[in-house]
């Protein structure tokens, strides 16, 4: 980045003013977005104003519109809801109200508005913008503003961020608050599961989503529900029969629990509501099962935001400021949204129009069209759900049609591994395959610790942390003979390997071994699962999201303890091997002052700058510091060294404390993201495997010897892709067990700006305005 560009980012906002407001229903993560807008706005030289109580505050003016300072957004990151308040506002719907709002903005010289809310709030913002020049001329005629003020505020820039727990806005993969709402729901489902299993009960859970079934759908995938009712896809006419048959089948297979998830807006084909009470009465009347209803209600909006929502809110806030300050009278009002893991800008009204199209399609009972408009991610969730929940496990067919696929875990345990095994096993069975599970990784494959898995073998595995199959770091090379013998003995024709860096290097060894052992010429696929998120070929690994949330929660508690004692700096060591993903992302999510990682070398001068920064910080109202250090970021600047340095330099100004988080980062029950991601990865891997086995069938046996028969299944930007392990070799730093290029490194400057460092913000990587129609075609498949 050139010096000029850097200078441009630092001066982009000089002489400009930005107002930020939250409107409509609150959503966890809104505070992270507000904090980022304020801090990045100030960083660029702009003045930033809070608008309290949403549009109502904009109309009422006065004390509701207050200038924000750097410190006024401290400690906001971990709070749920919205600190600056939100309200439904009738006044703003009338032109008179909008006239008053315009007057309040012009008087303060504010011409940039960042609105965080749902589609209603964003539509309101667009109306406001299109009327702006008329409103100004009316104000001028009435003598409320001068000609000079009118000229200064001649156009209004608007950028929207979607905050809605329903994920019901077209054009973005995830809206702020959705992931946190899923966290709340899953905590409750997990709690209910334990009591229901004690009593053989059926639970009907009603989740929010008046017009959108996203929460219900992802919840049902994340807890392996028996049935889900969503507004976009009403059940067939004889659904009552089908549901009761499905529940009694699950019972006969030995399950003590039935879970039915209902979106509050669930309807049948005629548009008549299907309520949780209706379902309960049906089950009691027809099956006589002890059935309970739980309506989750506002619990879903509450609680602290998940790590994902904090990072999403922060990234969107940064992007919103850039979009506002780069805006001209000709740029349309835009929405900053997420596609895969990329921030994109989309024209606001295209998104609003598409969101309205969904409602229209549903009102017209064109449910297939509504489903398509929701996007590919929604469709994929639905397809996987239907496969796993609505298909009867096949009765064993004749031996000729059956292929045998083995599933194993390799490396260290990661939350979500069991969900991946469950979906792999069940999709395999649905396709008519014989599925074997291997205990203890490649070691177990060599020793023959292999057994056949039936449908109920993996029952209830989705929500369980760790690895039920057992996992080892052993690599296959030294046991090729035993492994080959067992592949023959058990007639294994394909291998699904779920694990971390060892799973990938093990895959490379298997490719090498094919030259020596014909038995190793079978297709295999690696599903990345490791808290370190260091598998080449994938932006995300199963388990990393859970670890991130664990670190985040711990940092929140530590910050809270520091807020009580004041003038205290905590140095926290995170896991990740040489990969700085956890330290960086947790730093963003927890509001750290610094995150030391291997990928970005640091010197004693950097450490000194950080200490000076903290000394300065202790003179403000924010008297605490949080520093993260990745376990292998530097062999000499150890956690103890940094702690000693900080203790010495901070004498008399601040106390230092250190925490090594250790293995608790690998434990815990998987987050909704990890459950859902793992479930979809397992399903996709098994579909690929069945195709590859058929392709490799020669003269009565499997022979797979091409590079594309040994792959890593990874999430790349917007899609799940299969990449030959041999092709990923060039992209790997084997000494440090990390990919050579990592997408999240681009988020490092955001972390530093939000911690008030004078650094370069690279504005070259910015999201450019895209159009929805074009985005639809290449959209994420996760």
């Amino acid at each position: 980045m050139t010096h000029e560009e850097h200078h441009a980012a630092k001066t982009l906002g000089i002489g400009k003013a930005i107002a930020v407001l939250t409107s409509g229903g609150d959503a966890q993560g809104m505070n992270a977005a507000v904090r980022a807008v304020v801090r990045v706005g100030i960083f660029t030289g702009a003045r930033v104003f809070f608008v309290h109580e949403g549009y109502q505050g904009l109309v009422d003016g006065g004390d509701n519109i207050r200038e924000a300072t750097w410190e006024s957004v401290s400690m906001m990151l971990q709070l749920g809801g919205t600190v600056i308040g939100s309200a439904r506002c009738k006044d703003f719907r009338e032109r008179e109200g909008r006239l008053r709002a315009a007057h309040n903005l012009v008087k303060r010289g504010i011409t940039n508005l960042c609105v965080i809310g749902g589609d209603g709030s964003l539509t309101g913002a667009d109306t406001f913008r299109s009327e702006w020049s008329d409103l100004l001329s009316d104000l001028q005629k009435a003598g409320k503003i001068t000609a000079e003020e009118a000229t200064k505020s001649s156009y209004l820039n608007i950028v929207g961020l979607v905050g809605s727990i329903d994920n019901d806005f077209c054009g973005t993969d995830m809206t702020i608050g959705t992931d946190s709402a899923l966290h709340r729901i899953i905590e409750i489902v997990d709690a209910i599961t334990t009591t229901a299993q004690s009593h053989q009960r059926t639970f009907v859970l009603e989740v929010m989503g008046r017009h959108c079934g996203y929460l219900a759908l992802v919840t049902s995938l994340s807890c392996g529900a028996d049935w889900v009712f969503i507004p976009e896809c009403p059940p067939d006419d004889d659904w009552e029969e089908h549901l009761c048959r499905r529940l009694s089948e699950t019972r006969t297979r030995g399950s003590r629990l039935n879970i039915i998830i209902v979106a509050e807006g669930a309807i049948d084909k005629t548009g008549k509501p299907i309520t949780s009470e209706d379902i309960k009465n049906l089950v009691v009347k027809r099956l006589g099962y002890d059935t309970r209803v739980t309506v989750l209600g506002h619990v879903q909006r509450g609680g602290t935001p998940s790590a994902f929502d904090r990072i999403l809110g922060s990234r969107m806030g940064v992007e919103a400021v850039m979009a506002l300050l780069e805006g001209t009278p000709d740029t349309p009002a835009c929405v900053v949204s997420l596609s895969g893991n990329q921030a994109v800008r989309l024209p606001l009204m295209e998104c609003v129009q598409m969101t309205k199209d969904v409602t229209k399609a549903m009102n017209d009972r064109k449910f297939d069209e509504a489903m398509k408009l929701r996007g590919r991610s929604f469709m994929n969730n639905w397809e996987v759900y239907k496969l796993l929940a609505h298909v009867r496990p096949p009765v064993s067919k004749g031996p000729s049609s059956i292929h045998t696929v083995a599933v194993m875990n390799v490396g260290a345990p990661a939350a979500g591994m069991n969900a991946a095994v469950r979906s792999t096993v069940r999709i395999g069975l649905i396709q008519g395959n014989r599925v074997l599970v291997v205990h203890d990784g490649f070691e177990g494959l060599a020793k023959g610790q292999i057994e056949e898995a039936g449908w109920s073998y993996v029952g209830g595995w989705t929500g369980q942390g760790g690895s039920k199959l057992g996992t080892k770091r052993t690599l296959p090379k030294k046991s090729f003979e035993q492994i080959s013998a067992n592949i023959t003995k058990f007639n294994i024709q394909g291998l699904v390997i779920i694990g971390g860096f060892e799973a990938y290097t093990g895959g490379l060894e298997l490719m090498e071994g094919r030259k020596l052992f014909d038995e190793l010429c079978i297709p295999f696929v690696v599903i990345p699962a490791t808290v370190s998120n260091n598998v080449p070929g994938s932006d995300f690994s199963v388990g990393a999201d859970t670890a991130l949330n664990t670190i985040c929660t711990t940092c929140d508690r530590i910050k809270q303890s520091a807020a009580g004692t004041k003038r205290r700096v905590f140095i926290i060591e995170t896991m990740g091997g040489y990969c700085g993903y956890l330290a960086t992302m947790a730093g963003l999510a927890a509001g750290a002052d610094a995150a030391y990682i291997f990928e970005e070398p640091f010197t004693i001068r950097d450490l000194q700058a950080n200490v000076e920064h903290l000394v300065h910080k202790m003179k403000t109202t924010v008297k605490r510091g949080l520093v993260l250090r990745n376990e292998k970021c530097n062999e000499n600047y150890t956690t103890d060294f940094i702690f000693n340095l900080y203790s010495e330099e901070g004498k008399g100004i601040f106390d230092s404390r250190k925490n090594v988080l250790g293995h608790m980062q690998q434990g815990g029950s998987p987050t909704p993201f990890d459950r859902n991601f793992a479930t979809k990865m397992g399903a996709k891997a098994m579909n690929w495997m069945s195709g590859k086995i058929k392709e490799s069938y020669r003269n009565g046996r499997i022979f797979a010897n091409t590079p594309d028969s040994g792959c890593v299944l990874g999430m790349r930007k917007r899609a799940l892709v299969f990449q030959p392990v041999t092709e990923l070799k060039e992209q790997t730093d084997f000494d440090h067990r990390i990919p050579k290029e990592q997408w999240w490194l681009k988020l490092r400057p955001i972390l530093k700006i939000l911690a008030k460092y004078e650094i370069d913000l690279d504005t070259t990587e910015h999201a450019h305005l895209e159009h929805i129609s074009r985005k639809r075609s290449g959209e994420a498949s996760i």
Side-chain angles (χ1 to χ4, degrees):
M1 174 174 184
T2 65
H3 182 70
E4 286 70 39
E5 276 174 314
H6 158 51
H7 198 66
K10 295 279 283 279
T11 54
L12 205 55
I14 289 175
K16 296 182 179 175
I18 300 171
V20 57
L21 65 88
T22 52
S23 168
D26 64 308
Q28 307 97 316
M30 280 181 166
N31 290 325
V34 170
R35 170 180 177 268
V37 170
V38 169
R39 290 196 168 171
V40 177
I42 292 172
F43 170 85
T44 62
R47 295 174 72 194
V48 188
F49 291 83
F50 289 135
V51 179
H52 290 270
E53 311 310 329
Y55 284 125
Q56 194 62 55
L58 203 58
V59 174
D60 296 344
D63 227 12
N64 289 304
I65 305 176
R66 276 178 250 166
E67 190 160 355
T69 64
W70 193 272
E71 286 144 46
S72 60
V73 291
S74 177
M75 279 308 254
M76 249 171 106
L77 199 53
Q78 57 267 51
L79 300 174
T82 163
V83 172
I84 57 176
S86 179
R88 310 269 175 202
C89 173
K90 283 202 192 76
D91 295 342
F92 194 74
R93 294 200 184 125
E94 307 301 325
R95 193 167 188 281
E96 183 49 43
R98 294 195 288 275
L99 202 59
R100 285 164 58 196
H103 180 241
N104 289 328
L105 290 178
V106 174
K107 281 295 182 201
R108 291 170 176 78
I110 300 168
T111 54
N112 296 287
L113 190 58
C114 174
V115 178
I116 308 169
D119 57 347
S121 310
L122 299 183
T123 311
D126 197 72
T127 312
F128 191 38
R129 184 184 180 178
S130 56
E131 289 179 354
W132 186 253
S133 51
D134 291 349
L135 294 172
L136 290 199
S137 59
D138 283 11
L139 288 170
Q140 206 181 325
K141 274 180 206 144
K144 297 234 173 112
I145 61 170
T146 65
E148 193 189 344
E149 285 174 325
T151 318
K152 259 194 174 157
S153 305
S154 60
Y155 67 93
L156 177 70
N157 273 323
I158 283 188
V159 171
L161 302 183
V162 193
S164 151
I165 64 165
D166 293 340
N167 203 22
D168 56 356
F169 193 79
C170 293
T172 184
D173 289 354
M174 284 295 263
T175 58
I176 297 171
T178 307
D179 187 64
S180 302
L182 285 168
H183 274 253
R184 288 304 85 75
I185 296 169
I186 293 302
E187 282 161 19
I188 291 163
V189 174
D190 286 354
I192 280 175
T193 308
T194 50
T195 159
Q197 281 173 335
S198 318
H199 294 280
Q200 281 208 329
R201 280 196 177 132
T202 297
F203 265 90
V204 181
L205 254 100
E206 184 182 304
V207 301
M208 281 184 169
R210 212 163 318 151
H211 308 293
C212 178
Y214 185 86
L215 289 178
L217 180 52
V218 176
T219 300
S220 63
L221 275 177
S222 304
C223 69
D226 294 285
W227 198 287
V228 67
F229 290 93
I230 59 171
E232 290 87 348
C233 197
D236 295 330
D237 294 337
D238 61 345
W239 64 268
E240 292 92 343
E241 299 294 324
H242 193 132
L243 173 66
C244 294
R245 188 179 72 231
R246 166 103 195 114
L247 295 178
S248 54
E249 276 175 7
T250 321
R251 284 283 164 103
T252 7
R253 280 204 300 270
S255 168
R256 300 178 56 84
L257 160 75
N258 295 119
I259 295 181
I260 301 163
I261 309 285
V262 194
E264 60 180 330
I267 47 173
D268 65 14
K269 284 257 192 305
T270 65
K272 184 176 150 286
I274 297 176
T275 68
S276 28
E277 281 300 323
D278 295 342
I279 298 163
K280 173 188 168 171
N281 297 336
L282 171 79
V283 176
V284 171
K285 196 170 116 202
R286 297 231 188 147
L287 299 171
Y289 291 170
D290 181 358
T291 308
R292 303 293 160 98
V293 172
T294 304
V295 179
L296 297 191
H298 279 69
V299 165
Q300 296 160 85
R301 285 194 190 281
T304 174
S306 64
F308 183 94
D309 273 331
R310 297 178 194 198
I311 293 164
L312 177 64
S314 302
R315 289 180 67 186
M316 285 185 171
V318 174
E319 198 53 58
V321 172
M322 289 304 150
L324 282 170
L325 299 180
E326 290 165 13
T328 67
D330 308 323
T331 45
C334 77
V335 173
V336 174
S337 78
L338 182 78
S339 181
N341 59 20
Q342 292 183 299
V344 292
R345 297 179 193 173
L346 299 169
L348 181 100
M349 285 325 284
E350 281 184 27
C351 300
V352 168
Q353 191 47 54
M354 201 150 174
T355 307
K356 285 183 174 153
D357 291 348
V358 177
T359 313
K360 186 177 182 315
M362 281 166 64
N363 291 340
D364 297 348
R365 314 243 151 73
K366 294 181 181 159
F367 296 109
D368 290 349
E369 195 180 312
M371 222 29 166
K372 281 198 188 79
L373 287 167
R374 280 267 181 247
R376 222 164 92 191
S377 158
F378 195 96
M379 296 277 288
N380 272 9
N381 282 326
W382 182 248
E383 291 309 314
V384 174
Y385 157 73
K386 275 199 311 200
L387 266 178
L388 287 170
H390 281 214
V391 178
R392 292 178 166 187
V395 183
S396 175
K397 301 188 201 74
S400 60
S401 66
I402 288 187
H403 294 303
T404 304
V405 180
V407 188
M408 62 202 279
N409 292 163
V410 173
M417 278 182 161
N418 298 325
V421 172
R422 170 187 177 266
S423 98
T424 306
V425 167
R426 289 197 170 173
I427 298 287
L429 294 171
I430 286 165
Q431 291 170 344
N433 296 314
R434 189 167 148 252
V435 185
L436 305 176
V437 290
V438 180
H439 298 276
D440 295 340
F442 287 116
E443 200 172 296
L445 190 58
K447 290 182 179 165
Q449 294 166 277
I450 300 165
E451 59 178 322
E452 190 167 341
W455 187 267
S456 36
Y457 183 89
V458 289
W461 277 28
T462 322
Q464 304 209 5
S467 159
K468 306 261 287 186
L469 293 181
T471 154
K472 285 260 186 356
R473 291 183 183 268
T474 325
L475 290 168
K477 201 174 196 168
K478 54 178 191 291
S479 328
F480 276 163
E481 277 186 34
Q482 296 96 305
I483 287 174
S484 300
N486 281 325
I487 286 177
T488 307
K489 180 180 168 189
F490 291 93
N491 189 26
I492 296 170
Q493 295 164 312
L495 200 53
V496 177
I497 309 167
I498 300 162
F501 201 83
E502 286 87 2
Y504 160 70
T505 41
L508 282 169
E509 288 189 2
L510 291 177
M511 288 306 264
E512 284 296 300
R514 284 177 174 183
K515 298 191 195 83
L516 307 167
F517 296 90
D518 273 2
E519 295 87 341
L520 298 178
C521 295
I522 56 170
F524 69 84
V525 58
V526 175
I527 295 177
T530 163
V531 300
S532 307
N533 199 28
N534 62 337
V535 177
S538 191
D539 292 347
F540 295 107
S541 300
V542 171
D545 186 67
T546 306
L548 194 53
N549 276 285
T550 304
I551 298 170
C552 208
T553 313
T554 312
C555 288
D556 285 354
R557 290 181 182 169
I558 286 172
K559 273 172 79 174
Q560 211 169 26
S561 83
T565 43
K566 304 276 191 294
R567 298 182 195 269
R568 186 159 280 182
V569 175
F570 282 89
I571 292 123
I572 295 176
E573 182 187 302
T574 67
M575 277 175 129
Y578 285 99
C579 178
Y581 177 81
L582 287 178
T584 299
M585 297 309 247
L588 251 181
D593 292 283
Y596 300 120
I597 62 168
F598 167 76
E599 292 89 340
E600 195 177 277
F602 56 98
T603 64
I604 192 74
R605 277 178 294 289
D606 296 308
L607 290 172
Q608 194 182 345
N610 293 148
V611 172
E612 283 165 11
H613 172 83
L614 286 164
V615 166
H616 184 73
K617 191 177 176 185
M618 296 299 153
K619 294 179 182 147
T620 69
T621 52
V622 187
K623 297 185 185 351
R624 63 177 186 280
L626 180 69
V627 174
L628 271 57
R629 179 189 173 277
N630 162 263
E631 56 184 356
K632 290 191 175 171
C633 63
N634 187 305
E635 60 178 325
N636 294 315
Y637 297 149
T638 59
T639 302
D640 283 340
F641 175 91
I642 292 175
F643 167 69
N644 291 335
L645 176 83
Y646 274 58
S647 300
E648 181 57 38
E649 296 294 319
K651 261 188 193 157
I653 305 157
F654 59 78
D655 287 344
S656 300
R657 294 282 187 277
K658 67 168 193 264
N659 279 55
V660 176
L661 299 186
H663 279 71
M664 67 179 222
Q665 295 162 83
Q666 278 181 354
S669 122
T671 56
F673 178 90
D674 278 334
R675 296 180 192 201
N676 191 18
F677 187 41
T679 300
K680 281 197 274 196
M681 293 283 261
K684 196 150 176 106
M686 206 46 157
N687 282 332
W688 175 89
M689 182 59 75
S690 295
K692 270 287 173 256
I693 290 177
K694 288 190 185 87
E695 240 174 72
S696 323
Y697 212 74
R698 310 217 191 340
N699 316 326
R701 55 167 293 216
I702 304 293
F703 189 77
N705 207 10
T706 51
D708 68 353
S709 59
C711 286
V712 167
L713 169 58
M715 166 121 177
R716 277 282 167 98
K717 288 188 179 157
R718 299 183 181 183
L720 290 176
V721 283
F722 291 92
Q723 306 142 99
V725 285
T726 46
E727 276 177 24
L728 293 170
K729 263 165 100 167
E730 285 90 82
Q731 300 172 25
T732 311
D733 167 354
F734 285 97
D735 292 342
H736 299 103
R737 302 162 46 97
I738 51 175
K740 286 179 185 166
E741 279 187 19
Q742 304 185 83
W743 66 274
W744 50 266
L745 282 166
K746 296 198 180 81
L747 303 183
R748 298 269 307 167
I750 299 178
L751 185 140
K752 292 175 190 165
I753 286 165
L754 294 175
K756 210 175 186 174
Y757 282 90
E758 292 292 315
I759 65 129
D760 296 358
L761 173 62
D762 186 350
T763 50
T764 50
E765 256 292 318
H766 275 301
H768 299 290
L769 193 65
E770 295 193 10
H771 288 282
I772 279 211
S773 48
R774 204 174 73 235
K775 177 178 175 293
R776 276 272 152 307
S777 53
E779 203 191 344
S781 56
I782 157 146

